[in-house]
Amino acid sequence: VKLREIACSRSGDKGDVSNICVFVYDPVNWSVIQQHLTAEVVRQQFGDLVCGDVVRYEMESVHGLNFVLTEALGGGVSMSLRGDPHGKSYQSLILDIDLPVNVDQSAVVGDN
Amino acid sequence: MPSSAVTIGCGSAYANDRLEPAVALAKSGRVQYLAFDCLAERTLALAQLRRRLDDDAGQDERLPRIVSELAPFVASGLRVVGNFGAANPSAAANDVVNGLRRAGVAGVRVGVIHGDDVAALVRKLNSRLPELGCSVDDLRERFVSAHAYIGAGPIVALLDEGASFVLGGRIADPSLFVGPICHEIGWDLDDWDRVGTATLAGHLLECGTHGTGGNFADPPYRTVDGLDDIGLPFAIVSQEGALELTKLEGTGGRVDGLTTKTQLAYEIHDPAAYRTPDVVADFSHITVDEMGTNRVAVSGAAGRPRPETLKVLVGIDLGWKALGEISFGGPGCVSRARLGEALVRRRLEPLETDIEDIRYDLVGMTSLFGDRFSSEHPAEVRLRVAARCSTREVAAAVAYEVEYLYFGPAGAGGATQSVVPAIGVTPAFVPVDDVRLDWEIHRS
């Protein structure tokens, strides 16, 4: 399943560090992202956009994960020449990750 | 006598935020306090440059309008806190006092906080710049400014002295809210779990409409009604520590579990250690409960003693930034854009010693994620060339070469260019005891 089917995300910046949080729409899918959305999977997705580490923090009480990517914004918002120096669009790149699982169809496609 | 609860809203999330939703919140009478965050990472260094040209400049440029719109509500009891001072808190205080007088509001106490400008201190300490791998001295004449993120202490002191308008420079975003909350309900600034709760409220409010459905819609997965008229968030915090987040009835947007959670984790790193000048807050055991339409209760924040260092942002003169763009469309557009790129690279070769950094992107293809999503047959692409140069002339030459692709590959159109001063910021840390803050009160 594509992460976008079961979760939402938001990315922000501090200096050259990007953080991207991911929250599942339905708590039933918490174990899916906890098990499969690893720091390594995120690193693969971002490839050479990230020069430093990818660290994952669990926020179990709100069914979310927070990924912290260092050296990930081309030197930082104010230094970078990138078109999106804040990495605001990173939240969309992470949602394109394909997780190797099938999930209950009643728990996909958003909360609306 | 402390109140049993406090109501506080967000008035602004950055230096260019729209004012109408803040005025609506003031007018509603639903909030006792409005807090305005006016600064992003680079805003202060840019403000410092304005101040170098003009002693009376460097504060938030919206201030005269903000004061004029809010004056009637301040006269009837609304209290306003903000980092409007940016690089010039004294000039900001003058704007507020004069604005209130012009609006016929006399006798209001205006508190101003000084001391976040730590340029002299970081030079004396030759502070380390970890992201650059060097120290302040190594910046030489490129050093522009240094401002420390300061906490809620002076805000509480000024509110205790009856100030209705409190402003300063680089007051940390959540501290703008922690100050009024702790003042109003009598929380001690050394009661770490309470300050953790106040910081949670501040963190959920400080980004303005990011907490009410902004930066959220992704149809059909996530939809937000009324984005055009989105309302700012406000919170009710009780002395017992209950925190409710909501927005005005009749405004657009949404406040629910998901919008609150995405804001909870926005721009934090370790959720168990969110460091501010006031506290090391622990958001790792938060729960969010939907209480009704656009109403959530958030609980579970904790805190540990505040850090012994303050974060500082050091502003650096990086020369000039050039940006040039031009579009190509239809069959073969990618090949023609790449030909244009090759042409610009060739023509810039003689200038390369003055070009410190340059990048070429195809917008519509590779500019955001490199080749992660590339397709060889987009309907159109836009060649984007961005460079940092040591002189304005060389930056202008870079931008010009992109425009001159009108006479390069076939069908290049819609060239735009800009050349602006390049100001960077990088973090440093200083001992909190070395930063001397002071404050004073003026009267309108």
Side-chain angles (χ1 to χ4, degrees), chain A residues 5 44 61 78 88 111-112, chain B residues 221 254 266 286 372 425:
Chain A
E5 303 287 329
Q44 287 292 325
S61 61
S78 62
K88 302 273 188 197
D111 62 336
N112 295 292
Chain B
Y221 297 85
R254 58 185 258 191
Y266 183 62
I286 298 289
R372 320 296 299 172
V425 290

Side-chain angles (χ1 to χ4, degrees), chain B residues 129 145 200 222 224-225 238 350 411 426 431 439:
Chain B
L129 305 172
S145 61
L200 171 64
R222 281 167 272 148
V224 179
D225 290 335
S238 79
T426 196
W439 50 90

